[in-house]
Amino acid sequence: MKFIALFLLYVGCIITACKDSPKSSAAAHPKAIEKSVVTAEDIERIAHEADYVDILFFNMAISVSQTDRASIVQTAHFFSPEVKTNTSTCPSMGRITLQSKGKILIEADIHFQGVCKYFTIIENKKPIGVTMMTKEGEYFLSSLINNYQPEKK
C-alpha cells in the first residue's frame, strides 16, 4: 500500500513539474525584484495557519509532502524576512507551497545552488519578490539533495 501511495505521489509530481516548470530564465531570475516580501509576522501567521506543505523538485524524482504540525511549522521557518542583498541569481530547482484548507498561503520557487539560497515568492503565477532562506532551510535542502539518488535505468 505504501508503494502505491509513493508511486501516485511520484506520478503527480512529474505531471505538476512538467506543467509548472519555468518558461524562461527571465521568469526564474526576476532581476527587478530586490526586496523581501515576507515579514516575520507573515512567517508566524503561515506557521500557525498552514496545514499542508508540498515541495516539488523540477529535475529530481523526489518530493516532500507534510501534514505533521511540527514539520509544517519548521518548514514555514525556512523563509526569512531578510532582504536578498547579493546580486547572484540561479535557476529555480523546485517549488514550495504552504496551504491552509486548500488555499495557498505562500508559494515560492526555490533557488539553492552555490551562493544562491533564496526564494522567489509567486502570486497569481507571477514573481512578486524575493526573500532569503534560513540556515534551517539550507540544512534541510542540503540533506535532502545530498541523500538523493537518481533512479538507475
Side-chain angles (χ1 to χ4, degrees):
M1 184 67 175
K2 208 176 206 181
F3 175 75
I4 294 170
L6 288 173
F7 177 76
L8 292 174
L9 180 63
Y10 176 73
V11 171
C13 292
I14 290 173
I15 292 168
T16 304
C18 290
K19 288 182 184 175
D20 293 339
S21 62
K23 302 287 188 249
S24 69
S25 61
H29 313 296
K31 289 187 183 240
I33 303 170
E34 296 297 335
K35 64 177 183 161
S36 177
V37 293
V38 179
T39 66
E41 293 80 18
D42 292 332
I43 295 166
E44 291 308 316
R45 178 185 54 78
I46 291 165
H48 177 74
E49 292 178 13
D51 58 15
Y52 182 76
V53 173
D54 196 26
I55 305 172
L56 302 173
F57 294 90
F58 300 137
N59 297 310
M60 293 185 284
I62 55 174
S63 66
V64 176
S65 295
Q66 300 171 328
T67 56
D68 172 71
R69 186 85 210 115
S71 297
I72 292 169
V73 170
Q74 179 184 26
T75 301
H77 287 97
F78 292 173
F79 294 90
S80 169
E82 183 183 340
V83 175
K84 179 179 178 281
T85 55
N86 69 29
T87 57
S88 301
T89 58
C90 297
S92 62
M93 65 180 313
R95 185 162 288 182
I96 182 170
T97 306
L98 284 87
Q99 300 177 18
S100 175
K101 298 176 182 154
K103 178 184 174 199
I104 295 174
L105 299 175
I106 190 166
E107 184 172 39
D109 282 343
I110 302 166
H111 303 271
F112 188 72
Q113 178 184 359
V115 297
C116 295
K117 294 169 177 66
Y118 64 95
F119 297 102
T120 298
I121 308 300
I122 307 295
E123 280 186 12
N124 299 318
K125 300 183 181 186
K126 295 186 192 264
I128 62 158
V130 295
T131 192
M132 295 302 295
M133 186 180 297
T134 63
K135 293 291 182 195
E136 294 80 11
E138 292 177 30
Y139 177 76
F140 176 84
L141 289 173
S142 287
S143 296
L144 193 63
I145 292 165
N146 290 338
N147 289 318
Y148 170 67
Q149 298 295 319
E151 291 182 3
K152 294 181 181 179
K153 295 182 179 187

